[in-house]
Each structure stands twice: as C-alpha cells, then as structure tokens.
Amino acid sequence: MTIIDVRGLTRSFRAGKRSVAAVRGIDLAVEAGEIVGFLGPNGAGKTTTMRMLTTLLRPDAGTARIAGADLLADPAGVRRRIGYVAQSGGTEQACRVTEELECQAEFYRLGRATGRHRARLLAEQLELGELGPRTIGTLSGGQRRRLDLALGMVHAPAVLFLDEPTTGLDPHSRANLWSHIRGLRAEFGTTIFLTTHYLEEADALSDRILVIDEGRIVAEDTTEALKRRVSADVITVEVGEDASRARAVLEALPRVREVTMPAPRTLRLAVEHGDRAVADVVLALQAIGVAIEAIRVARASLEDVFLQLTRHDAVPAGRN
Amino acid sequence: MFRDTVVVFRRYLRLSLRNPIWIFVGLVQPVVFLVFFGPLMTRTLESSGTAPAAAWQLFVPGILVQLSLFSGAFVGFAVIAEWRAGVIERLRVTPVSRLALLLGRVLRDVAVMVAQAVVLILTALPFGLRAPLGGVLISLGFVALLALSLTSLSYALALALRSEDTMAPALNISLVPLMLLSGVLLPMALAPKWLDTLSRIIPFRYVVDAMRAAFTGHPADVLPGAAVATVLCVLSVAVGIRTFTRQNR
C-alpha cells in the first residue's frame, strides 16, 4: 500500500527580486512499512520537501497524499497521522521528561489514560525509563534525541519523518539511535522517511534511497541496486612482474568491466560483484603463471554513488 | 479548539509556577515606582490641592498601566527562545489549533498580570490608597484587556523579528515614550496643551483616565477608555492570530 504519494511537488522562495526554486516538481512514492532515505547535498531541497510534507510549508504546486489524507485539502488530517522529529529536536529545557511526553499526547488529543500509557510504553522502548522525573535540560545529547523520537511517536503515527536524526551525536549514540529507529519499524510497523547527510546512515537504515539534487530527484532505487548501478567494485592486484601480460587475460573475464594499470606492476579492475569476481581473477592469473603479491577488494560505496549523481561533496563517513 | 487552549494554558501555567522568578521580576519596577516615587508624587499633588486619598487614586492606575505595558511587552522573548529550541515547530506539526497556541499563552499571561496587579494594589493600601471595590474590579478588567492586547502584539512581534537583539531595542525605544505619553506618572490634564494633544493619539492614555475614573468613583467616565481598550484588544489579538496561523517560515 502506498502510504506517501507525491506528484509534482514544487516550491520556490523569493530572495529580494529573484525567485529561487528550491523544489522543482518532484514525484515520489513510499510503501507502508518502508524505511526510505532521502539524500542530497546542502541546498538540494531535502529540508524544504520535508517541511512541505509535514505541513510546515505550503507547496506552490503539486499534490501529496500521506496516510490517506490530502496534504493541501486536509493538513490537519495529515498532522494527526504523522510524526516529525526536527533536526535539532524541539524539547523545552525546563520540562520534565514524562511531562513533555504526556503533554505531547494531549496535543494529539489522546485521553489522559491513553497518553500516560503511551508515554510509558515509548519511554521503555527507547530506554528512557528511569529518566521520567528528570528535567530535559539535564539529559545528554543521545538521551534527548531518543526523547525527540518518543515525542514523534507518542500517537502511534503511520509515518514518521526524521530530519537528520543523528547529526551531532557521537558514534555510540548514533549506532544506538539507528537500532531504535529500526526497532520502531519492527515493533510498530511505522513507515519511516528520513533525510540525512551521512551516507553510512542512509546505507545502514534505508530499504530504498532517493537522491535529490537542485530540487529534482536524480535517483531512486534500493541501496544495493543504486550502488551496483552507478559504481563498480574495485579489485586492485599487485603482481610480481610486468602487469601487461596479465592485462589481456583479465580483460577477457566476464565480470571485469575495465582494467587499468596505475603502476607497472599494479592492475586496477572495475568489476561487478567484487566478492565473486576475485576468485575468477586469482584463478585466471594462476593459470598463466603470474605471481600475485597482493590483492584487495573495495566494495562500491554509497559515497561514490552520491558524488557521481550530484557532483557535490558529501560528508564522508566518520567525520562529523 | 477550547480543549486545545486549556491544554496549552495548563502547560504554560505549569512552567510559570515552576519558575516563578519571572513573576516577581515583573513586579520589581512597578513596586519600586510605588514605594519610592509614590509618596513623593502624592505629597506633591497634595500640596497643590489634591486630597491625600485622591492622590493615590490618581497614581496607582498609572502604575497598573505601567505594569501592563512592561510585563506585557516582554513576554515575546519566551517565544523567541522556544522557536529557537524547535518547540514552536514541533507544536505546529501536531493537530493543536493554531489559535489555541496563541490563546493558551495569552491567557496564562493575563492570569499572571492580574495577579501582579492585585499584589500592587495590596501594596499601595498601607501607603494610603482607598478605592471602591467596584472600581478596583473594573480596573482589573482593564489590566486584563491591556494584557490581552500587549501580549498578543508581543508574540506577533517576536515571531516576526525572531531575534532578541532586534526586539529588545525596539521595545526599549517605544515603551518609555508610550508610558510617559499615557499620563502614567501624572495625569495628562496637568500637561501643557501640546503634550496633552500628543498624548491623545496614545490609546493607553484613555485607559489610564478610565482607571482613574473607576478608582475615584466615577464609573460613567470609564466608557471611553473601555471602548478604546476593547478595540485595541480585538485588533491586537487579530494580529496575534494572524501571525500564529501563517504557514510560511
């Protein structure tokens, strides 16, 4: 069942006399229960798209149906059915954790008893159990992020929108949050739509990835398919003699797309399915008696995909 | 919508009561004027012919309007902080009525300011204030109307400016002239013609005069001020609502 159905969503901003087109007629569809990653460089239109889908910004053109509610005709209906976690969260420092959760439940018009039950359930699910009476200002970054997630989920929405969920968190908290996000889908069947800068995050969480650049969707596919389509695995072989002899033999192998020689004794092969191709390469070289000194397989990375599709710089994995 | 307003009101009331320091801070300036300037001003008025009780009846309404102006105008800062923390956005994604987001806050502010006004009136009693109960209640009604107006405008300004650095000077520059031209410290009737005329464009002048009429037991003279206060209130709340319901960033 398609739970997010977007056609031709468009939005421009006026900057002085000029009009800046932030989102230029995008189409996208998300099935119920999917985790979809929305990737794009700064200024690509990710945040604008997300703000339109969460009713914070009115589209200039286009239609969208989210969880059965029409975005333009029934924004209140959309709000009842979605949860949203902004990049920098949205918690009041002076409130207490349980208070904030129960207040959020009241905003979603859940009854007092239901609200309390949901607050407790989510606090447990997201490891916030003992933090109930604590003031939010005293929580760590990771704890606050989990609270943001809980606040977005308190009314058991069909769709959860996450804007850069782990930006600014240390690696341990990030991994922890990832497992909680996966847990939300596993436990509640929530559809999750997240934007991120971090390619490894998109890779780790998403079933499918949509890449946006300059207001348009430039790619859409499963993570694996995207990696395979746009980029190749690379096998680097260092041999014990002049590599030119080996070159012809390797070029003939079915999985090998291209062979280059960056150094006299080094061969760089662009291959499909590097983990399978490496066996073929080794056997082929052995058959002609070429000694292998070293062999390395580098998997295609989402970074290659991203850079190739958008021709911009992304944030490399591991660097915040 | 009403239920939402109550939810929002309770949230902000809870936060205010947990951190009541701001309620006391809002009282400092008017109390200081009351205690250190009041006796001076009333003695001056008495020496030019006003009866002692009447002098306080002229002074205290001014202080109540001063309270309304300053307490009311500064509430917007809290909204700027909330916007920056992402709370406003989070609330706007929930189905809570946009109207309730403003009214819940404003009602909390009205409750706080009326409570502060009561404290001021009680503080003035030992200094010699005597006023009919009906007049006091009417004045509290005016405080509520002014609170509704000024807080709505303050929230609207805060959401429009989104910066404490811009809002603070804007308020500081406008509030003192507004206060002085409303005849807060001394009745405008005593002013030279040009000053009196200038003050007639300030809505608060009529409110102060109305409150003085209430305190001195002339309820009929309350009407012009009541009309001005009501119009001001309706316009201000409309501006506030419009700002809170606008979709764009």
Side-chain angles (χ1 to χ4, degrees):
Chain A
M1 185 200 96
T2 308
I3 202 165
I4 301 179
D5 190 7
V6 175
R7 309 274 168 86
L9 210 64
T10 309
R11 174 79 197 201
S12 310
F13 291 105
R14 206 154 320 137
K17 288 235 174 108
R18 282 168 48 241
S19 176
V20 177
V23 177
R24 303 165 201 252
I26 61 170
D27 299 330
L28 62 93
V30 177
E31 299 296 304
E34 271 195 294
I35 300 184
V36 171
F38 200 49
L39 218 57
N42 285 327
K46 294 194 304 293
T47 307
T48 307
T49 304
M50 180 157 277
R51 301 190 82 232
M52 283 195 279
L53 293 177
T54 51
T55 77
L56 289 170
L57 213 54
R58 195 166 176 78
D60 289 337
T63 61
R65 258 195 113 64
I66 303 175
D70 187 298
L71 183 65
L72 290 152
D74 185 20
V78 171
R79 283 180 209 127
R80 280 194 288 274
R81 295 163 168 80
I82 65 170
Y84 171 57
V85 179
Q87 184 176 344
S88 36
T91 46
E92 172 65 60
Q93 301 266 65
C95 267
R96 305 221 170 94
V97 171
T98 314
E99 244 174 25
E100 195 73 297
L101 282 167
E102 289 176 6
C103 204
Q104 182 83 339
E106 283 187 297
F107 289 136
Y108 278 104
R109 307 199 181 124
L110 305 178
R112 204 69 79 81
T114 318
R116 239 172 257 154
H117 170 73
R118 290 290 304 169
R120 224 177 313 128
L121 183 70
L122 283 163
E124 247 176 66
Q125 172 88 3
L126 290 161
E127 290 179 86
L128 295 167
E130 302 98 59
L131 299 174
R134 288 265 298 271
T135 308
I136 293 174
T138 64
L139 297 182
S140 75
Q143 289 167 333
R144 209 172 312 173
R145 227 45 197 128
R146 296 205 297 275
L147 176 58
D148 290 332
L149 220 53
L151 289 171
M153 287 291 297
V154 78
H155 57 302
V159 183
L160 185 64
F161 288 92
L162 301 175
D163 194 3
E164 310 215 11
T166 63
T167 301
L169 293 182
D170 64 85
H172 175 76
S173 303
R174 287 178 72 207
N176 181 270
L177 206 74
W178 288 352
S179 70
H180 282 302
I181 293 173
R182 284 189 213 105
L184 290 176
R185 193 259 295 267
E187 188 72 25
F188 305 116
T190 318
T191 308
I192 297 181
F193 188 90
L194 65 107
T195 66
T196 180
H197 266 151
Y198 295 119
L199 301 167
E200 58 171 354
E201 179 164 78
D203 207 345
L205 290 175
S206 322
D207 300 325
R208 266 196 316 137
I209 289 180
L210 294 130
V211 183
I212 185 172
D213 189 22
E214 294 186 351
R216 293 197 182 85
I217 306 255
V218 295
E220 180 195 337
D221 215 330
T222 64
T223 317
E224 280 310 307
L226 213 56
K227 284 194 246 184
R228 250 180 289 128
R229 196 209 316 172
V230 179
S231 155
D233 293 345
V234 172
I235 297 179
T236 311
V237 191
E238 276 164 47
V239 294
E241 54 176 80
D242 182 6
S244 345
R245 188 159 75 93
R247 189 179 183 157
V249 167
L250 293 173
E251 272 171 346
L253 289 175
R255 287 205 181 92
V256 174
R257 278 196 224 155
E258 191 193 10
V259 182
T260 52
M261 275 176 50
R265 291 186 178 195
T266 309
L267 291 148
R268 191 177 176 279
L269 297 87
V271 303
E272 287 168 37
H273 297 287
D275 39 3
R276 286 180 214 155
V278 68
D280 298 341
V281 169
V282 170
L283 291 171
L285 289 175
Q286 264 196 336
I288 59 170
V290 172
I292 300 173
E293 310 239 302
I295 187 160
R296 274 189 307 278
V297 183
R299 296 299 312 279
S301 77
L302 204 47
E303 188 169 343
D304 300 328
V305 172
F306 192 74
L307 293 172
Q308 198 159 336
L309 286 171
T310 64
R311 278 167 263 278
H312 289 274
D313 286 311
V315 178
R319 231 195 293 153
N320 277 21
Chain B
M1 201 272 292
F2 288 115
R3 230 175 121 214
D4 285 348
T5 307
V6 170
V7 172
V8 175
F9 171 72
R10 280 179 47 234
R11 172 189 169 89
Y12 287 104
L13 189 66
R14 207 184 317 133
L15 287 172
S16 281
L17 293 176
R18 186 168 301 153
N19 209 4
I21 187 85
W22 295 110
I23 303 180
F24 294 119
V25 166
L27 271 172
V28 167
Q29 193 188 48
V31 165
V32 161
F33 268 77
L34 195 76
V35 171
F36 294 135
F37 186 67
L40 172 60
M41 202 212 79
T42 50
R43 169 119 19 134
T44 313
L45 280 177
E46 283 163 34
S47 67
S48 58
T50 325
W56 281 98
Q57 287 165 350
L58 289 178
F59 184 62
V60 173
I63 296 302
L64 291 179
V65 170
Q66 180 194 34
L67 167 79
S68 309
L69 271 177
F70 283 84
S71 273
F74 280 88
V75 297
F77 284 92
V79 149
I80 298 180
E82 267 184 66
W83 175 77
R84 205 170 279 134
V87 175
I88 306 277
E89 289 237 312
R90 171 166 68 93
L91 297 185
R92 283 179 67 204
V93 177
T94 67
V96 168
S97 140
R98 320 279 106 161
L99 197 53
L101 286 178
L102 173 72
L103 288 182
R105 258 175 245 267
V106 162
L107 287 175
R108 183 274 313 256
D109 295 326
V110 168
V112 165
M113 282 163 68
V114 167
Q116 288 172 319
V118 168
V119 168
L120 277 176
I121 293 172
L122 291 175
T123 313
L125 289 177
F127 284 87
L129 172 71
R130 297 289 174 268
L133 185 63
V136 170
L137 290 175
I138 291 175
S139 293
L140 289 177
F142 275 110
V143 169
L145 281 176
L146 280 182
L148 272 169
S149 314
L150 287 158
T151 54
S152 301
L153 289 175
S154 183
Y155 289 130
L157 188 66
L159 277 183
L161 291 180
R162 293 217 177 107
S163 151
E164 294 93 335
D165 296 335
T166 325
M167 188 155 170
L171 289 181
N172 286 324
I173 289 176
S174 24
L175 286 174
V176 174
L178 276 177
M179 182 185 88
L180 293 173
L181 283 174
S182 313
V184 156
L185 295 179
L186 285 166
M188 270 306 167
L190 297 175
K193 203 85 179 75
W194 66 270
L195 197 57
D196 187 28
T197 315
L198 193 59
S199 87
R200 284 181 192 280
I201 58 169
I202 311 289
F204 308 112
R205 182 241 161 92
Y206 302 95
V207 175
V208 181
D209 287 343
M211 284 166 76
R212 285 182 174 134
F215 266 54
T216 54
H218 296 112
D221 297 336
V222 161
L223 290 175
V228 169
T230 312
V231 169
L232 180 66
C233 183
V234 167
L235 289 176
S236 309
V237 174
V239 168
I241 290 172
R242 208 170 147 264
T243 324
F244 265 76
T245 56
R246 250 178 25 196
Q247 283 268 20
N248 303 343
R249 102 177 316 269

